[in-house]
Amino acid sequence: MANLTTVVEAAAATANGTGVEMNVSPNLQGKSVRVDIVPNGFSGTAILQGSVDNATWTTLKTSGSLTTSDVGIIASVVLPKYIRSNVTRSAGSVSIYLTASN
């Protein structure tokens, strides 16, 4: 069975998400997970960021510049203690999901 974690769903504003701890249930810190960046009529950039201290953030995966006709992005990353989304947009919305195998 897989664990699904929603980092951000239908984000329709330019903003940083709140840091989410990955060392609590289902405890995904240090695990390799599948990242799905799913645009919905989206123009902009969606970034999954990671941090060890919830203060200094680095990019784990970026969508690059997406336009409304682009398809979603699938990647694999290893999760640090904290993650968050960082979305810059001019249209539509975007979602970021993590899937981890048990």
Side-chain angles (χ1 to χ4, degrees):
M1 174 170 263
N3 292 313
L4 177 67
T5 301
T6 302
V7 179
V8 65
E9 191 161 60
T14 294
N16 288 327
T18 303
V20 178
E21 248 182 298
M22 292 288 100
N23 65 344
V24 295
S25 184
N27 195 10
L28 299 177
Q29 181 179 359
K31 297 193 186 225
S32 180
V33 299
R34 174 182 159 153
V35 177
D36 289 272
I37 300 175
V38 183
N40 182 16
F42 181 73
S43 287
T45 304
I47 301 170
L48 176 66
Q49 294 181 316
S51 173
V52 296
D53 59 7
N54 204 21
T56 303
W57 296 91
T58 60
T59 297
L60 300 175
K61 181 60 186 170
T62 181
S63 68
S65 181
L66 292 175
T67 62
T68 55
S69 62
D70 286 333
V71 297
I73 306 233
I74 299 171
S76 179
V77 301
V78 175
L79 296 179
K81 185 173 181 180
Y82 298 94
I83 59 167
R84 74 175 184 186
S85 63
N86 180 336
V87 175
T88 302
R89 61 153 311 266
S90 60
S93 65
V94 66
S95 301
I96 301 175
Y97 304 104
L98 305 177
T99 307
S101 299
N102 286 347

